[in-house]
Amino acid sequence: MNPVPDIYRILPEIILTLTGVLVMLLDASLPLRWARRPLGWVAAFGTTFALWASLWQISLPMGTGFSGTVETSAFTVFFHVLICGLVLVALLLSLDTLPEDSHHQGEFYALIVFGAVGMCLLTGAVELLLVFIALEISSIATYVLVGYRKNTARGPEAAIKYFLLGSFATAFLLYGIALIFGATGTTEIYEIARLAPTAPNHSLILAGLGLMLVGILFKVSAAPFHVWTPDVYEGAPSPVVALISTAPKAAAFALLLRVVYEMLPTLRQVWSPLLWVVAVLSMTVGNLAALRQTNVKRMLAYSSIAHAGYLLAAFAGLGNDGVMAACFYIAAYAAMNVGVFAVVTLASGYDEKLPQIDNFRGLIYRSPLLGSLLIFFLASLVGIPFTGGFFGKLTTFSTAISGGAIWLVIIGLLNSGLAAAYYLRLALAAAQRPSGENVAAFAPRVGIAVGAALLLAVAATLVLGIVPGDVLRAAEAGAHTLQAPPAESGEPGNAVELPTQP
Amino acid sequence: MNEINNSILTLILLLPLAGALLVLLVPDRAKLPNWIALFTTLATFGLTLHLPAHFDKTQTGFHFVVNLQWIEKPAIFYHLGVDGLSLWLVVLVGLLAPIGVVASWNIIRERRKVFFALFLVQQTAMLGVFLSLDLILYYGFWELSLVPMAILIAMYGRKDGPRAALKFFLFTFIPSAPLLVAILWLYAKTGSFDFATLQLWIASGALPAGALWWVALTFLFAFSVKVPVFPLHGWLADTFSEAPVALAMVVAGKLGLYSMLRFHIGLFPAQARIVAPVLVGLAVVGILYGACLALVQRDFWRLMAFAALSHLSLITLGIYGLSLTGWEGAVYQILNHGVVDGALFLLLGLLYDRYRTSEINTYGGLAAKLPRTATFFVFASLAMIGLPMLGGFVGEFMILLGTFTGVSKGWAIVATLGVILGAAYMLWLVQRLFFGPESKLATSKPPDDLHVGQLAILWPLAALMLVMGLAPMLWLSTIQTGVHPPPRPRQAVTTQYPVFLQGGCAAAMYEAPQLVATPELAAKCESMEEGQR
Amino acid sequence: MHLILFLVFAGFCLAGAINLLLQSHPINSALSLIVVMVSLAVLYLLLGAEFLAAAQVIVYAGAIMVLFTFVIMLLNASREERTLGSHAALSVGLPAVVAILAIIATVILHTQGLGVARLSDGITSTEELSAVLFTKLLLPFEVTSVLILIAILGAVALAGHDARDPDPHENRERTGEK
């Protein structure tokens, strides 16, 4: 039997759930006039604890728990740590930037933490049903968070849009799961991997894969499933955007890696060209559209679409290398993107009275710290060496070239040259001398919590850019566990069997 | 001593960075950032002087090598080294840094911390380009050098900084994207980013020739924009007229030219030879075009920009003449151009700061008011146009000689015409700025000639120009070790490519097909070819 | 009997879906969606998938639709103006829908071994399902509670009044849902 208690396999998730419940209950029981800010600290503390627990999980032998539905391996630990870190940064960011009198602050923190449960679970799930439920948890939490600024016109609009399109995408995913279940008779990823090459209904698997890809690519906002991104990012509160542009995407990419590299590696000749096309589309569409934006958050939304494209380039890489590069790029992208949104949050405020690029003019004169950080993160997004963005691109494109996708890399790097134009526009606006009326604009203040959040993001971006060795090794270890079959754990779990299969 | 030799390059590289951090940490008060920057740059300069002092001229190849693994996979090494080619360029960067600080001393009045911190980062990046022997490390510094430059142009631009910064950045960043593709392709084929290993691979002929041709072209394209070579100079004039003085004196030229020698001709000798005639033609066009446009400019920054285009094209001509004399002359001329430009920009920066205009016509008759400024300006101009006894003469002469004997007499004569035009526009500039009737501008401000600090920089520079003209062998003897083949050829390697050397550039392609390499390299190469079969 | 029920509820389902699209009032559309959900649940029941039917009702007709309705009410959405719709929707959307339907239909029609399932086969009854749910699929089942919790929490957060609104009394009708 399995020597590791099942509960250890989902320890971070349990800690996060308990934290969420605690925050919720405290919120309900605290007197009305008390500030809700300490709840954010509770949530942040719980998340840190979960992060620690995920790190501890690396000492467990790799394997599955709960009858083969959830896995712990270097791969899951990598993503758990990443997601917990991102959630932590988002919480710290919200702590200082949510207005003191804002509504439902307690629920806000609880929702973030519960969303993290879903995301963590998504990366660990090796059972498609669990995948689906985890995805729904993280999605619903984010739908609500997006609509948190109810008194603006754009907030609810964004929430509705995200909710409708998101549900639609999840439906595609579910349909795909159903078709694959129909073809193989199981929803376990390892079982599918074993049965798929010899399954009689090959076209059913293909259709299932295609539908699943639609659902997942929507979540990572890759073109042509990206249309929701700019509206949602514009309407959602900036701390939420810092979260949803990174953590759920990281989780969705983990799922994508699992689906293509672990579940259906034999269909490489099918998904590889598909993802090639999607990668090129995402980069090009994202960058071209971003060039025309004047609103900072919309611009960054298109930039995140483009980055999804760069990331998908890693899927042209073969085996371990591809997974490793993708993992690393996700981490690098998440670090710099959460950072840039943190700065944008501070610079334009929760209510975003100053959302345009022109409003950022002279930021470095108003607040040298924020201005410099903005330029730093933008430089990382451009892919300037000695930042995380550079090594992300380097590993990604280098594996893609080894995988033979030289045109993808040429298109990608030309795109990143194009992208420099709009990042630079913002960076240079921040570096420019402020014009007369803008000098009087408010000078953002940086509190302890936000300071810690920024510090984490900067440190991560720099570490990934200067000494990426450890993270690369972790990503490689993750890649190995993703490829290898899991250690035998108890009875083979194939209780759900399709009756029609002879 | 040995320990210093082992870590000297790292020290040189990191010292400006440490200075930048220090500048960021101290308060922006009482010119504190200026002083820190000055001390850092002087200390760095002192360290760079260690290199020529302990450089073993009898040895070719790389000296002071540091080679540590940085990242396992992809295999990137922290691999630094200098040879005769890069040695004096490193010293030049070290020398220009304090000049840049002095030139910005009074001009930069606000956000000094940001300025000097970024200025120092820029130093690290430029030093890194000259020192790196790992292609990714090299590429990293190459790109890194763009960022402080762009930000500083945007922040301290004279009129329309951001636009010029954007133009500069895009012009130089976009061509380096294909450069990265090319480097990654080489890595995918060879599994190494190491300069010497890649040289071996490329010379062994194991890589597909067609693709290699494109790779070489990509390298060349990125470097040509950075130099710039004639049709790719669109960013130069705007950048010169907007950039702060301290940056304008380093923005063009040496990074690109050095990269051409080391990473284009050095890595792809065969491909370079095919493409060389084109570049020779472009270079000659650039010389004449730059000189002609410089003649008609009304703004002295733009005049300097086109003058720079003309001079840099001359150096490009020396490089792609593919003769040993031309290469030596090219490296020497890079040094000389750096020194002279440093002095000229320092003086022009002072003029601009005092009179707030760069319109040449509004000046005139300043010589009586500012005799010292005028004297130094005339001296530097003479060095720039190649008066015998001054530095410019030696470099230009060697380049033209190399072209005359090695390429074609016609090109050499046309290029000489460009040099004569150069004399015309520089002397006319001097005449319009300092002589003639006294202008309103000259009488509008009280005379305020050079101060002690500026003199302390300018005197040594002037002396240096003189010494460079009188005793060029002080420099050329080291430069030759990077360019020439080793004295005695020992073993043939391959008949396909004429030559390649560890360190330095692949030499003597126009000389007798001597096939030279050190024995261990040859053995390595053979085993590699075995592996290919 | 089964066939009749199937036809009736499949008809309901389709009618609900079409009605959903045609209705101009969002609440009506939402209610039609519930009809669709419930009819689907009945179809599941007809296949003998009792648990699935229940889940359908709870998760979709329950949690998600509740949240959805809350959002609509929050918006105070009234009768919507009919527009002709964008050209993009017509020119890209329709062919895309047709293409997807065609592909799925082709795939399903070409699949062997479909349509031989009998109602008594496999794990379809609640009893068998619950056995699976509490052994093999324990974790997904338990995690569903978090899902529902989030749905409630979200509904409260979105539908509740803003503290910055003039009327603070209605602000605290939250409960410690569990």
Side-chain angles (χ1 to χ4, degrees), chain B residues 249-270:
Chain B
M249 59 175 86
V250 298
V251 66
K254 53 188 189 302
L255 294 182
L257 292 167
Y258 163 80
S259 305
M260 277 179 167
L261 266 173
R262 168 86 77 215
F263 293 105
H264 184 240
I265 297 184
L267 275 179
F268 310 99

Side-chain angles (χ1 to χ4, degrees), chain B residues 342-344 346-347 350 372-373 376 450 453-465:
Chain B
L344 285 177
L346 180 60
L347 292 165
L350 290 173
R372 291 181 203 152
T373 312
F376 279 112
L450 300 173
Q454 291 138 3
L455 285 174
I457 290 282
L458 282 165
W459 273 114
L461 280 182
L464 188 60
M465 290 175 211

Side-chain angles (χ1 to χ4, degrees), chain A residues 226-243:
Chain A
H226 65 284
V227 281
W228 56 276
T229 323
D231 290 343
V232 170
Y233 284 16
E234 192 188 359
S238 299
V240 173
V241 183
L243 179 75

Side-chain angles (χ1 to χ4, degrees), chain B residues 261-428:
Chain B
L261 266 173
R262 168 86 77 215
F263 293 105
H264 184 240
I265 297 184
L267 275 179
F268 310 99
Q271 287 79 359
R273 189 156 71 170
I274 298 169
V275 87
V278 179
L279 275 150
V280 167
L282 288 178
V284 172
V285 174
I287 295 171
L288 290 180
Y289 176 84
C292 289
L293 280 185
L295 269 175
V296 299
Q297 293 304 317
R298 299 207 185 101
D299 177 306
F300 60 64
W301 298 122
R302 298 185 82 84
L303 188 145
M304 289 305 286
F306 287 106
L309 175 63
S310 181
H311 280 99
L312 298 172
S313 298
L314 183 68
I315 304 176
T316 315
L317 177 67
I319 293 175
Y320 283 93
L322 302 178
S323 66
L324 291 181
T325 327
W327 285 342
E328 284 167 27
V331 176
Y332 197 69
Q333 185 63 4
I334 297 174
L335 296 178
N336 180 61
H337 185 254
V339 172
V340 173
D341 251 18
L344 285 177
F345 269 101
L346 180 60
L347 292 165
L348 287 175
L350 290 173
L351 282 185
Y352 182 86
D353 190 46
R354 190 165 306 143
Y355 297 110
R356 314 302 307 168
T357 177
S358 51
E359 283 280 315
I360 299 173
N361 287 337
T362 55
Y363 286 87
L366 282 177
K369 294 265 181 192
L370 309 169
R372 291 181 203 152
T373 312
T375 313
F376 279 112
F377 197 90
V378 171
F379 191 79
S381 303
L382 291 178
M384 184 160 169
I385 62 184
L387 193 75
M389 311 265 285
L390 293 177
F393 176 71
V394 181
E396 287 183 5
F397 181 74
M398 289 177 79
I399 292 174
L400 291 174
L401 184 68
T403 315
F404 195 80
T405 54
V407 186
S408 95
K409 298 191 173 66
W411 286 129
I413 291 165
V414 179
T416 316
L417 195 64
V419 174
I420 295 168
L421 281 176
Y425 62 73
M426 273 322 284
L427 291 178
W428 195 29

Side-chain angles (χ1 to χ4, degrees), chain A residues 76-147:
Chain A
T76 68
V77 170
F78 183 89
F79 277 97
H80 274 59
V81 170
L82 179 63
I83 288 168
C84 288
L86 289 169
V87 169
L88 182 63
V89 170
L91 280 170
L92 289 173
L93 185 59
S94 320
L95 262 171
D96 271 3
T97 47
L98 282 191
E100 198 49 64
D101 57 347
S102 72
H103 58 291
H104 301 288
Q105 223 180 349
E107 277 98 336
F108 185 88
Y109 299 127
L111 277 169
I112 290 185
V113 174
F114 281 130
V117 176
M119 297 167 209
C120 284
L121 214 49
L122 188 57
T123 65
V126 286
E127 155 72 58
L128 289 177
L129 287 179
L130 188 60
V131 163
F132 171 68
I133 291 172
L135 190 67
E136 283 287 84
I137 293 176
S138 94
S139 302
I140 290 180
T142 48
Y143 301 150
V144 179
L145 288 170
V146 163

Side-chain angles (χ1 to χ4, degrees), chain A residues 27 32 67 107 150 160 188, chain C residues 71 135-136 158 160 172 174:
Chain A
D27 179 44
L32 238 188
S67 325
E107 277 98 336
K150 287 185 294 185
I160 294 276
E188 269 186 73
Chain C
V71 175
T135 56
K136 165 80 183 118
L158 282 186
R172 301 300 300 182
R174 327 174 205 180

